[in-house]
Structure formats: C-alpha cells, structure tokens
Amino acid sequence: MKKLWSALLGIIALCCLLALGDYFMNRQNNGSGGKTVTVYNWGDYIDPALIKKFEQQTGYHVDYETFDSNESMLTKIRQGGTNYDVVVPSEYTVQRMKKEHLLAPLDHRKLSNLRYIDARFLNQDFDPENQYSVPYFWGTLGIIYNDQKITGQEVQHWEQLWSPRLKNNLLLIDSARDVFAVALITQGKSVNTTNYSQLKQAQHHLQALTPNVKAIIADEMKMYMEQDEAAVGVTYSGDAREMMSVNHHLHYVVPSEGSNIWFDNMVIPKSAKNKQAAYQFINFMLQPENAAKNAEYVGYATPNRAAKKLLPRSVTDDQQFYPPESTMEHLQTYKDLPRRVLGEYNDLFLEFKMFKK
C-alpha cells in the first residue's frame, strides 16, 4: 500500500513539474515579453543573413515559415492553429483580409522607418493611409522575349502579341486576372472591370490570339523561356529576372500603355501573439541598409526610397524593373472583386482555354 501511495505521489509531482514547465514555456514564448517572432512569407523571399542579423540585434528568435500562394496562406490564417506575428500577402489579399477582420491596425508611431518608403507606393486603394500594411516588394506584369527569335521593337505593346509573326510562339501565364488584364488594357478598359459585357468582349479578343498561343502554363514558363522553346511570354517581373539570369538572350518589357503593378506587403494578423516583436521585425526590414540587402538577394524592386539609393545604378536605372514615370502612371493594381465577378473571370478564362484546344 505504501508503494502504491509513493508511486501515486510521484506521478502527481511529475505532472505538477510538467505543468509548471509548460506554463513558463508559454509565458516565455507567447507573453508580452516573449522572445520568438513567427514570420509567414513566400518561399526564398528574404535574405537569410537578415534573419540572423535581426536575431543578433534584438535577441528574438525568428520562427520562419513559407507559403506558395495567397490562397493557401489565407486558408491557414483563417483556420488558426499557428499564431503568425508577421505575414506578407499581396495587395488584393490585404483587401480581403481587411474585409474578414483578420488584420490588426498598425500603430505608425512604432514604425519610425516607414518614412523611407517612396510616397508613390503608399496610400494605395487596397489600403488607404496604410492602416494595415507596409510595402515589402513590388513588381509588374509584362512581356519577356528572346532576341534570337524576335526584336524588341516587335513586342513593346500588348496589341503586338496578336501579330501573325508570333504564331505558336507565345506563352501565357495560367491566371485569369492576368490574361484578361492584357485583353482589357488593349481595349482601354480597367483590369478591375465588373462589367460582364466588357469581359465577354475581352474574351472574344483573346480567342483571336489563340493561333499564337503555344501553351498556357505556370512555373514551367521559366524552363521554356530559358531553353529557347518560345519567342515571347507574358509573366511577372520577378520571374522574368530569374529567367534572364539564366539566358542572356531574354529581355523584359512593361508596355507603356499600362499593366498590372503588384505589391507584397508586411501585415500583422489580429491573432498575432507577439505584436511588439512584429513591429520590431517590420521596422528592421524597413531600415535602408537592410532593405537594400534584401532587394539585392531577392532581385525584386524595392519600394524603399532610401534603400534604392544604396543599390547599384545598373539595377536602379534598369527600366525593365524600375519603369519610367510615364509608364508607372498607367499601371493598375488588382482589387479584391466580388466572388460572383471572380467566378465570371474564371469561367470565361476556362472557356478561352478550351477554345484554344
């Protein structure tokens, strides 16, 4: 009987010790004095050296996780489970997260380095006065071409993609919004139109493009263009830079009549457990020397005016990735359209792909 009581008391004591340890662990990690900041970002979208630098300077440990699409990220935020402190969604997703009350409003007094962001990239329609988001990187939708197969003058404008010279030589990104943006811009319409008649007209215009379309693909475009499998592709500036680093015959153009400009942004979810650390991380990434180092590593355009001055002129003078103001004036951001309208874009795009076959 004494042995039984001794064993029972031992078990009780062990449980108490485990519970106490768990309490202090949670207090350390999740309380206001927690030393972990959990960051959720796109894959290979930060210089790892900056994470180490932040940890050394602040004493925080960075728990870094990655996602491959806005949709998968949004699903995980909605489900909860992991309480992310800093997340990097694209502009239309910021708008959607605001509507769903998933974001914490930002206290600009805690973001002293926000002053380094170029005013052109602040106060965008998707987040007026940057109440919830801080620009991280930006880029464009444009045309990549191979100078062995076609001259640059033949692909300066979207309408030139309909030229018979490009028969079976054009690659399109597998994205309804992006492909319809090309057609809508050539017809002088907004990339955010909700007018079904305008969408049908754009679809009809796209159907006339099908003789030129070699394939409608996603990441495979990088391989196709790098290996000289097509003359022209419609893609994003970041992917274009990656392709150009492999094949020096490739070049990127943003049509001067307009295109899509996208923004990836740092936000703090409402469910964040360590907002103090989140502010420190965002402010750290806004420091000009850190933003410049990050831009050199990632290869995308930085919205940080002071950081841009620290980059090589060969980078910042490259109009392929830092377009002139005359082009910037005509760039449009995507808005988070009503579910019904998004369904119309997707349905009409699917019909276009089937027509292509």
Side-chain angles (χ1 to χ4, degrees):
M1 189 68 175
K2 289 182 180 180
K3 290 183 179 180
L4 181 60
W5 274 108
S6 296
L8 185 59
L9 289 172
I11 292 172
I12 292 172
L14 180 60
C15 289
C16 289
L17 286 172
L18 290 173
L20 190 62
D22 187 58
Y23 167 78
F24 282 112
M25 183 68 73
N26 285 332
R27 184 175 179 181
Q28 179 180 6
N29 289 335
N30 296 327
S32 59
K35 299 305 292 182
T36 295
V37 56
T38 305
V39 179
Y40 200 26
N41 197 357
W42 299 83
D44 200 27
Y45 212 33
I46 191 173
D47 186 339
L50 288 174
I51 294 178
K52 292 181 181 178
K53 181 180 177 181
F54 175 79
E55 291 178 330
Q56 291 170 352
Q57 285 188 358
T58 66
Y60 285 110
H61 168 69
V62 177
D63 185 1
Y64 192 82
E65 296 186 27
T66 64
F67 56 87
D68 58 7
S69 74
N70 282 290
E71 288 67 32
S72 63
M73 175 276 294
L74 190 52
T75 297
K76 199 163 184 181
I77 296 292
R78 286 169 177 153
Q79 291 174 343
T82 301
N83 296 110
Y84 298 105
D85 299 308
V86 179
V87 182
V88 188
S90 301
E91 71 292 321
Y92 67 92
T93 310
V94 171
Q95 198 172 24
R96 190 177 304 172
M97 294 174 82
K98 282 170 53 182
K99 290 178 182 176
E100 297 183 20
H101 305 289
L102 297 174
L103 298 179
L106 297 178
D107 184 349
H108 288 192
R109 294 172 299 179
K110 297 179 180 179
L111 295 172
S112 59
N113 292 331
L114 188 61
R115 68 186 187 275
Y116 294 122
I117 297 294
D118 190 322
R120 294 178 302 168
F121 305 122
L122 296 172
N123 197 31
Q124 295 291 318
D125 288 343
F126 65 88
D127 186 19
E129 299 181 1
N130 292 88
Q131 291 180 300
Y132 296 92
S133 66
V134 173
Y136 182 66
F137 280 119
W138 67 276
T140 55
L141 178 73
I143 300 169
I144 189 164
Y145 70 93
N146 189 315
D147 64 20
Q148 294 176 300
K149 298 177 179 290
I150 200 164
T151 68
Q153 291 304 311
E154 294 178 273
V155 285
Q156 291 297 306
H157 304 284
W158 292 119
E159 191 64 50
Q160 291 175 300
L161 298 182
W162 275 258
S163 168
R165 280 268 290 129
L166 291 178
K167 184 176 182 179
N168 198 38
N169 241 321
L170 170 65
L171 302 177
L172 295 179
I173 195 73
D174 191 4
S175 163
R177 292 296 297 272
D178 293 320
V179 173
F180 267 83
V182 172
L184 288 165
I185 290 170
T186 62
Q187 296 179 320
K189 307 301 181 184
S190 167
V191 300
N192 295 301
T193 184
T194 59
N195 185 308
Y196 187 72
S197 176
Q198 291 181 0
L199 290 177
K200 283 295 292 184
Q201 291 172 14
Q203 184 198 45
H204 181 72
H205 193 39
L206 287 171
Q207 288 171 345
L209 183 65
T210 53
N212 293 357
V213 179
K214 184 181 183 74
I216 301 172
I217 50 181
D219 287 342
E220 304 95 318
M221 187 181 298
K222 296 178 185 178
M223 178 186 68
Y224 275 50
M225 294 303 299
E226 289 169 1
Q227 298 182 2
D228 303 323
E229 294 293 330
V232 177
V234 174
T235 191
Y236 312 117
S237 54
D239 288 346
R241 184 182 287 277
E242 187 175 335
M243 297 178 216
M244 291 164 60
S245 69
V246 175
N247 187 334
H248 68 275
H249 289 290
L250 299 179
H251 310 272
Y252 182 71
V253 175
V254 182
S256 58
E257 63 269 22
S259 186
N260 164 241
I261 180 172
W262 53 260
F263 295 92
D264 287 333
N265 313 269
M266 294 179 284
V267 302
I268 301 177
K270 185 177 288 187
S271 58
K273 289 295 185 182
N274 200 339
K275 291 185 173 66
Q276 179 180 336
Y279 278 110
Q280 287 199 42
F281 183 84
I282 294 173
N283 222 30
F284 172 86
M285 296 305 299
L286 290 174
Q287 289 177 3
E289 62 272 21
N290 295 334
K293 182 175 177 58
N294 205 30
E296 285 189 280
Y297 176 85
V298 175
Y300 282 22
T302 179
N304 192 307
R305 181 186 66 257
K308 186 179 175 183
K309 294 179 181 178
L310 301 177
L311 294 171
R313 290 288 298 273
S314 59
V315 173
T316 58
D317 289 347
D318 189 345
Q319 294 190 358
Q320 297 174 101
F321 302 101
Y322 289 92
E325 191 61 35
S326 58
T327 299
M328 292 288 291
E329 291 174 353
H330 297 100
L331 300 180
Q332 306 175 54
T333 57
Y334 293 140
K335 295 180 180 178
D336 181 33
L337 301 178
R339 190 180 300 274
R340 172 188 60 81
V341 177
L342 289 175
E344 291 172 351
Y345 273 85
N346 291 330
D347 290 345
L348 291 172
F349 183 56
L350 180 59
E351 290 177 8
F352 163 64
K353 291 198 289 185
M354 295 175 64
F355 183 85
K356 154 66 181 154
K357 295 178 181 179

